[in-house]
Amino acid sequence: MPEKQNDEKKSTDIYQLLLEASEKQRRQKRAELLKSVGVEDLFEEGRIRVDMKTCKGVECKLCIKVCPTNALYWRAGEIGVTEELCIYCTSCVLYCMVDDCIVVERKRPNGERERFGKPLDISSLWERLNTRKRIDAVKMIL
């Protein structure tokens, strides 16, 4: 009976090992792609979603023009996303003329999660960051 318990402790979840290996490979591929473009990855993880029902991409394509890594592209009448190239910078959200058409979710290295769907969300983030920087600068002076 003790041998069975010992065997159970030694057994590994093959699915979990495959998942971890796949994730590691995905991260390495992403790092290589971003290095070739000359962009640094600042977020641990993220997701971008484009709602093609509300997208006016045929008329404007602004999100494609402002993307620093060319992760967004025009594909058969809609906006396509290359997830491996997206750095979740939110430039596309800032320039999109339709609220909640493009939604970017990301996780900062400190564990903080953020979600942006409107240009106002990004402006609010900038204001919070600048306020934090001003407070830190004043603390250093005093």
Side-chain angles (χ1 to χ4, degrees), residues 65-111:
K65 293 174 187 170
V66 299
C67 182
T69 61
N70 295 323
L72 300 175
Y73 60 93
W74 190 247
R75 168 185 75 190
E78 63 182 29
I79 305 292
V81 180
T82 305
E83 284 278 344
E84 291 83 10
L85 284 175
C86 184
I87 56 171
Y88 316 111
C89 67
T90 66
S91 293
C92 53
V93 176
L94 185 62
Y95 283 88
C96 185
M97 67 166 90
V98 181
D99 287 349
D100 292 320
C101 176
I102 302 174
V103 177
V104 174
E105 298 173 4
R106 62 190 188 189
K107 180 181 174 185
R108 290 190 172 270
N110 66 2

